[in-house]
Amino acid sequence: MAAQRFVDLLNEQIGHEYAAHQQYVAIAVYYDSLTLPQLAGLFYRQALEERDHAMMMVQYLLDTDSLVAIPGVEAPTNSFADIVAPVQLALEQEKRVTDQINALTAVAREEHDFASDQFMQWFIKEQVEEVSSMSDLLTVVQRNRDDVENIEEYLRREGGGESEDASAPPVAGAGA
């Protein structure tokens, strides 16, 4: 069984992951409404990824016979000043999630909960990638704010090369 402090924080993190999912859907819809299909598609995929992260956490709690408590989330931001603002928000969100993941790992270590510490290692690696890619995207969007076709071309050229990560934790319900 996982340490109770870790379980409590992981249940909170499930809410943070669902909030990130909602925020990415809102960002995708914003870009979709501007007929920017590459940006919209990127954030629709990001939304699904955040949902999967939440469900990985759910599965871990189930696997460790821990209580799963799905929390509610606040409404996402739905309107933006310009095409840069959503990416800036996404980068800030990824940095916040990184801090949350690091805090979860620290609690697992403080509690000598080695299984939970090991579980968190994949998320640490994932957050390095997320912050890096969102930071790169912000640079591209800021540089090309007046030429959205350059942004779309960048995403067409650079995106879509992601493959399944065999080291990822299992997603609850994926086999159902």
Side-chain angles (χ1 to χ4, degrees):
M1 186 139 174
Q4 191 58 51
R5 275 180 63 212
F6 180 82
V7 169
D8 292 343
L9 279 178
L10 193 59
N11 275 305
E12 284 180 32
Q13 190 62 36
I14 290 167
H16 298 315
E17 299 294 331
Y18 279 126
H21 169 264
Q22 296 278 70
Q23 188 58 69
Y24 283 148
V25 168
I27 291 170
V29 168
Y30 169 76
Y31 286 131
D32 228 353
S33 73
L34 297 176
T35 317
L36 295 169
Q38 297 301 317
L39 277 164
L42 170 80
F43 282 100
Y44 283 128
R45 289 187 302 278
Q46 285 295 122
L48 292 174
E49 192 174 290
E50 299 304 330
R51 179 242 178 236
D52 283 354
H53 292 171
M55 294 305 285
M56 289 171 180
M57 293 172 183
V58 166
Q59 187 63 56
Y60 180 76
L61 291 173
L62 290 170
D63 289 346
T64 58
D65 292 325
S66 301
L67 176 68
V68 178
I70 307 297
V73 298
E74 290 184 31
T77 301
N78 287 292
S79 58
F80 303 96
D82 59 22
I83 65 164
V84 176
V87 180
Q88 180 71 49
L89 178 63
L91 177 58
E92 291 166 6
Q93 178 173 278
E94 291 299 344
K95 287 178 178 180
R96 190 170 46 255
V97 169
T98 297
D99 290 342
Q100 294 161 348
I101 295 298
N102 289 339
L104 271 159
T105 304
V107 167
R109 290 178 180 180
E110 289 167 10
E111 297 291 326
H112 304 286
D113 182 350
F114 303 113
S116 295
D117 180 17
Q118 181 180 6
F119 171 71
M120 295 310 300
Q121 296 309 303
W122 183 86
F123 291 95
I124 291 170
K125 176 183 70 90
E126 178 73 4
Q127 283 310 119
V128 170
E129 294 169 9
E130 294 293 336
V131 170
S132 175
S133 64
M134 209 52 70
S135 181
D136 289 350
L137 180 60
L138 180 60
T139 299
V140 169
V141 171
Q142 287 173 327
R143 185 173 47 226
N144 293 284
R145 73 175 67 223
D146 296 323
D147 190 354
V148 294
E149 291 307 316
N150 278 347
I151 299 167
E152 290 285 283
E153 180 55 33
Y154 168 81
L155 290 172
R156 232 182 325 275
R157 186 178 64 245
E158 299 294 323
E162 298 173 15
S163 61
E164 288 284 321
D165 182 350
S167 69
V171 175

